[in-house]
Amino acid sequence: MEPNVHFNSNSCETKIQMESKTFENKAFEHDDGSLDKTDHFRREDRPGSMYSVRSNASTTSRSSVNCTSGAVRCPNMRLRQFFSYSSETGFQKAEHEIKKILLPEKDGQFIGNWLLIEISNWDFHREKIVLLAEKAFYVISYDFIKSKLTGYKRIALDDLKKIKFGILKYPSSSFMGEYKYGAIKLSWDSEENITVFQKWNPLADIPFTIFTSHHILYNEKEKETSIYNCDEFIASLEYAMSKLPQGSNIEFKEEPIEIESYASLSSILYNQNWLGFQLNRNGLNF
């Protein structure tokens, strides 16, 4: 069954043993001496934090799909570059607009929204808003510079065939290095049905999506902020699936998530230059 697509301009105690990986992301490999080392969870006590909602993931039995070794960091200098973090153009402002796309009679009640990273089958990392309701989720493209919704995809939860979460990895013959964190992959068709044309066409519609936590989560001030945390999305999705009549028939398990990339210079340049994120690049905003 095809998902409905639109474009406009603590449940089970699953354990994920995260391994230390060596996927290079040089923007996060150095310490920022100006980081506040205290653990405050009220916005007034966390200067620079946009949100006061503390993540519950660290208090549950579920192991994290995030990097817990400290190898991935988001220093304050990088944090301030994200337009999605700005108090004037950021996620808090976007929330009001994106909720308007919900169809209450069709989607059910709103559950939550997150600012995550979507990883394409070509290994391109892009900033996305994910909105979850009782019967569907939306993958939303939002222009944080112009404060404008630019497109979205709606997937009904009962269209999902498989959900898996765990460490990210490349094929054994890949030259791409290794990841330091995990993700969740949601599929609404069997991967066996994906044609070679779809797999190697960057414009093709692939029947799955992969999400990982936003880099903002790795800033000391935001490490417990739920909206950047993929663990929170996983827990909320699992809850929503458990409420569906056929939810128990949908596969939901731990499994390594393979990114089928072997020697992709284009994705390396794309990701290392943060082209999937809207940043203030020393006066150049894109």
Side-chain angles (χ1 to χ4, degrees):
M1 188 173 181
E2 291 298 320
N4 222 347
V5 180
H6 300 265
F7 293 99
N8 311 358
S9 24
N10 239 309
S11 46
C12 62
E13 295 188 0
T14 307
K15 300 293 183 182
I16 303 173
Q17 300 300 323
M18 301 302 296
E19 301 176 2
S20 176
K21 301 295 183 180
T22 57
F23 180 80
E24 294 189 3
N25 195 331
K26 297 181 180 179
F28 294 95
E29 290 183 353
H30 57 84
D31 290 340
D32 183 2
S34 63
L35 290 177
D36 181 4
K37 301 300 181 183
T38 58
D39 287 323
H40 298 302
F41 302 108
R42 295 179 348 132
R43 180 167 59 181
E44 305 91 284
D45 297 332
R46 291 192 291 153
S49 174
M50 295 291 106
Y51 297 89
S52 58
V53 179
R54 179 178 178 176
S55 169
N56 294 319
S58 60
T59 63
T60 68
S61 60
R62 180 187 299 285
S63 297
S64 178
V65 298
N66 299 322
C67 175
T68 58
S69 67
V72 179
R73 298 180 64 83
C74 177
N76 285 341
M77 181 177 68
R78 173 66 66 187
L79 182 70
R80 290 190 291 267
Q81 289 183 298
F82 287 108
F83 279 94
S84 57
Y85 190 75
S86 165
S87 60
E88 296 180 357
T89 64
F91 184 81
Q92 196 168 24
K93 184 175 181 180
E95 280 184 303
H96 300 292
E97 184 175 353
I98 63 175
K99 289 180 182 178
K100 296 177 184 178
I101 68 177
L102 272 177
L103 307 171
E105 294 183 359
K106 192 174 183 180
D107 297 332
Q109 293 185 349
F110 168 81
I111 293 177
N113 45 226
W114 294 263
L115 181 66
L116 301 176
I117 295 172
E118 182 181 49
I119 304 176
S120 74
N121 64 308
W122 280 60
D123 199 24
F124 290 168
H125 293 201
R126 297 184 176 98
E127 193 173 47
K128 297 287 184 178
I129 296 175
V130 182
L131 188 154
L132 177 65
E134 291 178 312
K135 299 179 181 178
F137 74 93
Y138 291 77
V139 184
I140 301 170
S141 299
Y142 192 87
D143 187 333
F144 289 101
I145 297 175
K146 298 179 180 179
S147 298
K148 181 181 179 181
L149 188 152
T150 58
Y152 63 88
K153 176 185 293 185
R154 177 190 181 275
I155 297 95
L157 295 185
D158 58 13
D159 282 346
L160 292 174
K161 299 296 188 291
K162 184 176 182 179
I163 302 170
K164 61 181 180 180
F165 54 99
I167 61 171
L168 285 162
K169 69 172 189 175
Y170 292 109
S172 57
S173 57
S174 174
F175 294 96
M176 294 295 289
E178 295 181 311
Y179 271 97
K180 295 178 181 177
Y181 43 82
I184 181 171
K185 181 176 183 179
L186 302 93
S187 303
W188 48 93
D189 196 0
S190 172
E191 293 188 28
E192 296 176 356
N193 294 332
I194 300 176
T195 66
V196 174
F197 175 79
Q198 284 179 299
K199 187 176 295 186
W200 297 107
N201 179 2
L203 301 179
D205 187 20
I206 300 293
F208 65 77
T209 187
I210 299 172
F211 298 117
T212 190
S213 292
H214 198 285
H215 291 304
I216 292 175
L217 183 72
Y218 297 105
N219 181 272
E220 190 71 15
K221 297 170 187 164
E222 303 299 341
K223 65 182 182 180
E224 294 287 348
T225 306
S226 61
I227 62 164
Y228 309 119
N229 194 336
C230 193
D231 289 340
E232 293 287 344
F233 172 65
I234 293 172
S236 297
L237 177 66
E238 192 169 15
Y239 169 79
M241 297 301 295
S242 71
K243 299 299 181 181
L244 294 177
Q246 70 280 27
S248 60
N249 298 324
I250 299 174
E251 195 174 7
F252 197 127
K253 67 176 185 178
E254 176 197 352
E255 191 173 291
I257 298 171
E258 185 173 270
I259 305 295
E260 197 171 349
S261 180
Y262 294 90
S264 176
L265 180 60
S266 60
S267 68
I268 292 174
L269 293 174
Y270 187 92
N271 295 333
Q272 289 192 353
N273 287 285
W274 301 85
L275 297 182
F277 301 81
Q278 293 162 29
L279 302 178
N280 182 339
R281 306 170 195 267
N282 297 322
L284 295 176
N285 302 331
F286 62 92

